[in-house]
Amino acid sequence: MFRRNFIPILILLLISLFILRPATVSEGAFNGLKIWVTNIIPYLFPMSVLSNILLKYNFIYRVFERFSFISEKFLKNKYAMIPYFISFVSGYPSGAMTINTMLENKRINEKEANYLISFTNNCSFQFIAGAISFSMLNNFNLFKYIAVPHFIGAIILSFFIKNNTPYSNKGKSVRQSQSTFHHAFSSSIYKSVTGILTVGGVIVIFSVFSNFFNEILTSLSDTISLSPYIKDIIYSLVVGSLELTNGCSIISSSSYVPLELKLIIINFLVSFSGMSVIFQTFAVTDKFELNLKNYVAYKFMLGIISALICILMLSLTPSP
């Protein structure tokens, strides 16, 4: 009986906790709203609208079909570079939103969608270079130690999973009916607003959870004698596994952890993405059944691959 009612019981416990700690809930919710307003809407919304309009036309597919022999050989799908590129520009979860639209337009099937989402839904270069390297680490030149492992690692990950997903989409090209610009624009605005609101809701609720974890970890660190070095590492990994931005901020601001180890931890967090981003991805993929278990496993694998590439880069280059 308990297993069958686990989710409702858990929700009731969370509601009780939220009632008992309203200040913690309010602080976490406001932090989540701040992240959404300052980091998500300005970058993701405009690109979401433009990419949705672009995907309404056959032009973008015809362009990538010209290079399909490369994409099919290395990524086992001729349209794989479309979500990969949009994700590179816009970041999480724009790759997932693009794949969702491609499936809706019958460019790919559901099995291909689950394959593609594992390595094409990535962090944006702008977030890595601007938010992390420049703002958090105070050194823009460090972006290469994060961006290269992240984006190259995503390509490497596709080699580990493509044998399990033998779908190359080699059949006759699908030609969708052309939309008028007015229809494409209005439908793209609607889809983008819906997607952004969904993402915002997930960010707020996970920011509240993250705030509770912050309090728990602070209490534990006061009770258990831990060195500041170990405390900052554990703190950033736990918080970052829930919410990416907070985890990267915690480890970047640590005065006890050396820069090389900061970069390795940040690589893992950026590529794993955190449960907040994972559930954002789940929330915006309404056109197919996302295999959440496999997706989380592959994102964890990508985190390990990115961290290993970062270690290799650090060992082959002078100290940053």
Side-chain angles (χ1 to χ4, degrees), residues 8-249:
I9 292 172
L10 177 62
I11 298 300
L12 286 173
L13 290 174
L14 288 174
I15 290 173
S16 302
L17 182 62
F18 284 14
I19 292 172
L20 292 173
R21 303 298 298 270
T24 303
V25 174
S26 298
E27 183 183 3
F30 278 117
N31 289 339
L33 283 171
K34 183 179 178 181
I35 291 171
W36 182 56
V37 171
T38 59
N39 296 328
I40 302 300
I41 294 178
Y43 304 118
L44 184 58
F45 181 71
M47 184 55 65
S48 175
V49 173
L50 294 177
S51 60
N52 271 299
I53 293 174
L54 195 60
L55 292 169
K56 292 287 184 181
Y57 293 87
N58 289 298
F59 171 78
I60 187 67
Y61 298 103
R62 289 201 300 268
V63 168
F64 279 92
E65 280 173 3
R66 293 182 179 275
F67 304 97
S68 62
F69 64 97
I70 299 175
S71 188
E72 285 186 331
K73 182 173 179 61
F74 291 101
L75 304 177
K76 207 160 177 133
N77 188 282
K78 63 181 173 183
Y79 296 133
M81 294 308 297
I82 296 177
Y84 186 87
F85 170 73
I86 291 177
S87 185
F88 176 88
V89 176
S90 301
Y92 297 120
S94 62
M97 295 167 73
T98 302
I99 291 168
N100 201 56
T101 301
M102 289 168 62
L103 180 64
E104 183 181 13
N105 294 336
K106 296 182 172 57
R107 293 289 177 169
I108 57 176
N109 59 44
E110 186 166 332
K111 291 180 179 178
E112 288 175 297
N114 270 292
Y115 163 65
L116 290 174
I117 204 169
S118 300
F119 66 93
T120 62
N121 186 42
N122 301 314
C123 191
S124 70
F125 176 80
Q126 187 174 19
F127 181 80
I128 291 172
I132 298 178
S133 302
F134 182 74
S135 297
M136 297 182 189
L137 294 171
N138 300 312
N139 187 345
F140 176 79
N141 293 323
L142 292 174
F143 77 87
K144 59 180 176 289
Y145 293 100
I146 308 169
V148 172
H150 179 59
F151 294 110
I152 297 298
I155 300 296
I156 292 173
L157 177 65
S158 70
F159 291 106
F160 286 97
I161 61 178
K162 70 176 184 178
N163 289 333
N164 297 326
T165 318
Y167 306 100
S168 59
N169 200 12
K170 291 183 179 179
K172 185 179 179 180
S173 296
V174 178
R175 185 175 180 84
Q176 66 196 47
S177 58
Q178 288 289 94
S179 298
T180 63
F181 177 75
H182 175 267
H183 178 265
F185 180 75
S186 59
S187 65
S188 297
I189 290 289
Y190 176 79
K191 288 179 65 175
S192 299
V193 168
T194 303
I196 292 294
L197 287 173
T198 302
V199 168
V202 176
I203 288 174
V204 168
I205 194 66
F206 271 91
S207 182
V208 172
F209 292 154
S210 178
N211 213 36
F212 275 105
F213 269 97
N214 288 347
E215 292 189 353
I216 293 170
L217 289 172
T218 301
S219 300
L220 285 176
S221 64
D222 293 338
T223 304
I224 304 172
S225 180
L226 291 175
S227 67
Y229 171 80
I230 298 297
K231 176 187 172 183
D232 285 352
I233 292 175
I234 295 174
Y235 194 32
S236 64
L237 285 173
V238 172
V239 174
S241 294
L242 273 179
E243 208 287 310
L244 166 65
T245 306
N246 286 335
C248 290
S249 178

Side-chain angles (χ1 to χ4, degrees), residues 265-320:
I265 292 173
I266 288 171
N267 264 283
F268 173 79
L269 294 177
V270 165
S271 295
F272 176 63
S273 76
M275 296 308 296
S276 175
V277 172
I278 288 171
F279 275 86
Q280 290 171 40
T281 300
F282 184 73
V284 300
T285 50
D286 61 324
K287 299 301 178 182
F288 68 100
E289 189 68 34
L290 175 65
N291 190 326
L292 192 59
K293 182 180 178 181
N294 283 351
Y295 180 73
V296 173
Y298 287 135
K299 293 304 289 185
F300 183 83
M301 189 185 301
L302 178 56
I304 299 298
I305 293 171
S306 299
L308 291 175
I309 295 174
C310 180
I311 293 171
L312 180 62
M313 289 180 65
L314 291 170
S315 66
L316 295 177
T317 58
S319 297

